[in-house]
Amino acid sequence: MKLHPAFLLAAVGCALAITGCGPKSDTAAKSAPTAASAEKIKLGFLVKQPEEPWFQFEWKGAEKAAAEHGFELLKYGTTDGEKVMGAIDNLAVVGAKGFVICTPDVRLGPQIMARAKQKNMKVVTVDDMFVLPDGKFMTDVPYLGMSASQIGESVGKTLFEEAKKRGWNLEETGVCLITFEELDTARERTEGARRALEAAGFPAARIFKAPQKTTDIPGSFDAATSLLTRQGGIKRWLIAGMNDNAVLGAVRAMEGRGFNSETVIGIGINGTDCIDELRKPKPTGFFGSMLVSAPFEGYETARLLHVWVKEGKAPPLETRTPGIFITRENFEAVLKREGIL
Ligand code: FCA
């Protein structure tokens, strides 16, 4: 597939263009509050890391779908399995008919589905696909998420092109690949980046994996710090990871060792968790991000679930969303267009 460095769109299966969150409607606002809320369908939206802007933007999109289509949205930050089970029970008590979930652990899939079935609730997964005990995906549960491999490849290709554009000596350059391989969507993204870098001609021996123990900035900071200790001779770094926070932690670790925007090129994924970084008056090693529309993902999963509950029409089993490359130059305009700013 040909990828353009400035505007990268990747899609698998049922591809969706990023179009914001659908048509505006004021029907919800007009309906009589008491009668309408008595009849309103209740749906849950459970996310694993409620502190991450990514998930807050997903909620925002889902709220928009609820307002437009007249259902009630119940949001839960479910950071572990116990909280997920508690939220499902809670939803059942209030009469909810289903929920969208980004699970804190993909291996909880079978347990979550058993509980949902017991409570007669429909489930749509977002971002992180459930897996079975044998490691295979639970492909019978509707899923919507990014085209992880292609977006990862776009990161790798763009990193290589930017290094070449700057005339970097690749002999003195290393790749810091912040990995979290226990999560499939994360592994697909970082493997995509690695593959594209190697295909472009980056020496495989200088692509270093730095596994993060937790998927937050401290987790990637620690992973990068230990890599920098092991590879003290590298003069310039390219950084890739599963999301913006993975790259941000590595950028911070490198700054602590004297690296800066002249010696580091980092490209994240999400585009929602790097807004403050791209707004900094002085450029940092965080060069850009592959933006995926979190509001769209939240809107669309909630909408699909609502249609399923209301009309009995099941969502497609797999829907993939594309990425758009953003940098300090274009992020304000693109994020505004996507309803994020
Ligand atoms: C995973 C990551 C999030 C986001 C999402 C699309 O759940 O943890 O940061 O990238 O996929």
Side-chain angles (χ1 to χ4, degrees):
M1 178 168 64
K2 178 140 178 21
L3 296 164
H4 191 280
F7 186 80
L8 296 164
L9 282 175
V12 173
C14 171
L16 289 163
I18 295 182
T19 54
C21 288
K24 283 203 167 56
S25 147
D26 59 357
T27 42
K30 275 183 195 153
S31 53
T34 41
S37 46
E39 297 153 17
K40 265 186 186 174
I41 290 173
K42 291 189 177 77
L43 302 173
F45 204 113
L46 284 56
V47 303
K48 65 175 181 179
Q49 281 178 277
E51 78 290 351
E52 218 178 62
W54 171 267
F55 293 108
Q56 292 161 16
F57 283 114
E58 274 189 349
W59 272 345
K60 204 173 152 201
E63 271 166 352
K64 192 166 184 227
E68 285 183 13
H69 298 283
F71 59 90
E72 194 178 328
L73 188 79
L74 300 157
K75 297 176 292 180
Y76 295 85
T78 48
T79 47
D80 59 35
E82 215 175 299
K83 290 208 174 75
V84 171
M85 294 305 158
I88 299 174
D89 291 348
N90 200 285
L91 284 166
V93 169
V94 299
K97 296 281 184 283
F99 56 90
V100 177
I101 182 167
C102 178
T103 173
D105 180 350
V106 288
R107 288 162 304 184
L108 287 171
Q111 214 182 319
I112 293 171
M113 290 313 293
R115 184 70 65 99
K117 209 169 162 195
Q118 190 191 13
K119 306 285 183 190
N120 208 9
M121 276 192 256
K122 297 191 165 28
V123 181
V124 172
T125 52
V126 67
D127 301 326
D128 299 0
M129 200 185 267
F130 289 160
V131 296
L132 293 160
D134 65 2
K136 293 212 175 82
F137 289 121
M138 289 180 74
T139 47
D140 55 339
V141 185
Y143 167 83
L144 185 148
M146 69 171 72
S147 304
S149 297
Q150 273 108 326
I151 290 173
E153 282 171 12
S154 299
V155 169
K157 192 158 191 285
T158 311
L159 281 171
F160 189 85
E161 279 166 359
E162 186 59 28
K164 262 185 54 193
K165 203 165 120 193
R166 297 187 192 186
W168 282 13
N169 176 359
L170 294 186
E171 297 305 311
E172 297 179 339
T173 306
V175 172
C176 166
L177 195 62
I178 302 288
T179 58
F180 190 71
E181 301 204 325
E182 42 275 65
L183 178 62
D184 299 279
T185 181
R187 195 190 55 248
E188 287 165 11
R189 298 174 207 180
T190 49
E191 275 305 292
R194 189 192 54 74
R195 232 182 2 257
L197 280 157
E198 280 188 30
F202 197 93
R206 275 199 316 287
I207 302 180
F208 305 105
K209 283 189 188 179
Q212 53 181 164
K213 291 205 179 81
T214 53
T215 58
D216 51 10
I217 293 180
S220 52
F221 182 92
D222 290 348
T225 301
S226 107
L227 172 64
L228 288 172
T229 306
R230 295 196 305 274
Q231 298 297 335
I234 304 275
K235 300 249 170 45
R236 291 184 177 79
W237 285 101
L238 304 177
I239 310 171
M242 72 175 286
N243 58 17
D244 291 338
N245 284 343
V247 175
L248 282 171
V251 168
R252 294 290 92 87
M254 293 195 182
E255 285 168 351
R257 302 276 176 131
F259 291 95
N260 56 32
S261 64
E262 315 250 289
T263 47
V264 172
I265 304 169
I267 298 182
I269 293 175
N270 278 5
T272 44
D273 311 340
C274 57
I275 301 172
D276 292 343
E277 185 75 7
L278 294 176
R279 275 187 175 150
K280 285 183 177 169
K282 253 185 84 194
T284 70
F286 192 97
F287 180 64
S289 179
M290 294 295 160
L291 168 85
V292 181
S293 184
F296 173 78
E297 292 201 357
Y299 179 95
E300 188 61 6
T301 46
R303 187 192 70 78
L304 288 169
L305 177 63
H306 180 245
V307 170
W308 194 8
V309 167
K310 199 173 170 205
E311 297 162 23
K313 192 169 165 266
L317 285 175
E318 192 173 334
T319 307
R320 296 283 180 171
T321 54
I324 304 172
F325 185 46
I326 56 167
T327 62
R328 287 169 67 89
E329 270 64 57
N330 70 349
F331 81 99
E332 297 268 1
V334 177
L335 294 182
K336 262 188 203 130
R337 199 181 69 210
E338 298 304 324
I340 289 171
L341 284 183

